[in-house]
Amino acid sequence: MDNPNYRSGFVAIVGRPNVGKSTLLNRVVGQKVAIMSDKPQTTRNKIQGIYTTNDAQIVFIDTPGIHKPKSELGDYMMKSALSSLNEVDAVIMMVNAEQRRGAGDNFIIDRLKTVKKPVYLVVNKIDQITPDDLLVVIDQYKDALKWQEVLPISALEGNNVEEMLNELVGKLPHGPQYYPDDQVTDHPERFIVSELIREKIFQLTRQEIPHSVAVVIEKMKRQNEQKVHIQATIIVDRPTQKDILIGKGGSMLKKIGTLARKDIENLLGDKVYLELWVKVVPGWRDKSSALQSYGYRKDDY
């Protein structure tokens, strides 16, 4: 990189579950790298989205929603979120303009008080409220922390996202371009494929099922010039969940596979032959060995 004025750095996005962190990451990067769902706690590993221009590169770390853990998996997600705050150049705390400030926000703000780097308050979903309501929301937060800036945006519609990026770039240190221009994430394709399958499970099933699911890619192999063969196993806690996921005559599993295949084909730029199985591993969320084999490793935080 010859440009002496090039700026680069790492920015963590934190916030309560479901404030729009993954939506923002996907908008900035221009393609799906974080799974999106209207159920909270859908992002389990720190997915990095990479935004690159001629003058700058921002590597975004999308942390799992910070919440009080209820299981070993929850504890992993929480530690993962907090550890990322010590390694970055800036932190975005994202809040939902439609929600009042609550205990979950205060919990995060308390943890941000020890962060030495710039912390931005990003108020998302402004397309859903009036300007007067926005002022009320900002008022609830403005004295809670010494914010670098308060930035109202709509991650879904794109309002003010460009301005937010310019603001972040302006405060980044001068540094190298860490990743090539065309790279949008540092997660291997297998990981993103499993996330896309998990996203469909979130979208199509309700209540207990989503948080009891892990997706393991057993095989990902090119069959020929045009087609990639993927075999994936969906891990659940209980036989009743397996029944729901398979559905009557296999209908639910087929629906999950069809929707996931479309996104995976977009990601890989190839035709995909996707095979899904469902396996019951009782209590997998509280077994360290199971968590590690499904991709949640302690060395990630």
Side-chain angles (χ1 to χ4, degrees), residues 101-117:
R101 178 176 161 185
D105 299 303
N106 296 336
F107 184 78
I108 297 167
I109 288 166
D110 280 345
R111 274 141 193 82
L112 290 176
K113 285 176 180 166
T114 58
V115 174
K116 307 276 190 288
K117 301 288 167 64

Side-chain angles (χ1 to χ4, degrees), residues 116-129:
K116 307 276 190 288
K117 301 288 167 64
V119 181
Y120 295 85
L121 177 68
V122 170
V123 183
N124 188 27
K125 308 194 184 184
I126 58 168
D127 52 305
Q128 300 295 322
I129 59 164

Side-chain angles (χ1 to χ4, degrees), residues 44 212-214 235 237 281-287 290-291 294 296:
R44 283 192 195 156
S212 313
V213 167
I235 312 286
D237 268 341
V281 181
W284 74 265
R285 288 181 294 174
D286 285 316
K287 291 179 182 161
L291 280 173
Y294 305 145
Y296 309 111

Side-chain angles (χ1 to χ4, degrees), residues 61-250:
I61 300 174
D62 178 37
T63 56
I66 296 183
H67 57 280
K68 292 205 167 60
K70 293 194 185 115
S71 66
E72 200 168 317
L73 172 59
D75 187 47
Y76 165 89
M77 290 172 76
M78 175 71 193
K79 283 181 177 158
S80 174
L82 292 176
S83 76
S84 66
L85 303 184
N86 305 317
E87 307 154 2
V88 295
D89 298 293
V91 177
I92 287 173
M93 176 175 173
M94 190 180 271
V95 298
N96 179 350
E98 296 180 289
Q99 294 172 341
R100 289 193 68 77
R101 178 176 161 185
D105 299 303
N106 296 336
F107 184 78
I108 297 167
I109 288 166
D110 280 345
R111 274 141 193 82
L112 290 176
K113 285 176 180 166
T114 58
V115 174
K116 307 276 190 288
K117 301 288 167 64
V119 181
Y120 295 85
L121 177 68
V122 170
V123 183
N124 188 27
K125 308 194 184 184
I126 58 168
D127 52 305
Q128 300 295 322
I129 59 164
T130 67
D132 287 349
D133 289 339
L134 176 60
L135 294 174
V136 173
V137 175
I138 291 171
D139 220 41
Q140 291 173 27
Y141 289 94
K142 69 172 193 290
D143 300 324
L145 208 66
K146 206 168 169 211
W147 307 107
Q148 178 76 33
E149 290 286 347
V150 177
L151 305 166
I153 67 158
S154 166
L156 192 62
E157 301 294 332
N159 310 10
N160 294 346
V161 171
E162 200 62 42
E163 289 79 353
M164 181 201 80
L165 291 168
N166 292 339
E167 177 63 40
L168 287 171
V169 166
K171 300 285 192 305
L172 283 181
H174 292 292
Q177 181 174 332
Y178 294 103
Y179 295 95
D181 293 359
D182 57 353
Q183 192 169 339
V184 295
T185 174
D186 78 342
H187 278 279
E189 286 173 339
R190 274 178 178 246
F191 175 75
I192 300 182
V193 166
S194 70
E195 288 288 271
L196 290 171
I197 296 168
R198 217 159 58 84
E199 175 184 67
K200 304 313 167 202
I201 296 165
F202 271 105
Q203 287 169 353
L204 294 169
T205 63
R206 284 184 293 283
Q207 281 119 22
E208 221 357 71
I209 288 210
H211 296 303
S212 313
V213 167
V215 175
V216 182
I217 305 298
E218 310 283 0
K219 175 183 168 186
M220 192 162 155
K221 202 169 174 216
R222 180 166 289 286
Q223 263 186 326
N224 53 44
E225 282 300 302
Q226 281 85 38
K227 194 171 255 191
V228 178
H229 184 191
I230 298 171
Q231 293 174 330
T233 304
I234 301 167
I235 312 286
V236 292
D237 268 341
R238 297 194 295 275
T240 49
Q241 296 168 337
K242 179 177 178 176
D243 294 344
I244 293 167
L245 272 180
I246 291 173
K248 197 174 176 186

Side-chain angles (χ1 to χ4, degrees), residues 17-18 35-42 125 199 202-206:
N18 226 21
I35 67 170
M36 292 192 284
S37 161
D38 57 3
K39 298 178 180 64
Q41 275 175 250
T42 50
K125 308 194 184 184
E199 175 184 67
F202 271 105
Q203 287 169 353
L204 294 169
T205 63
R206 284 184 293 283

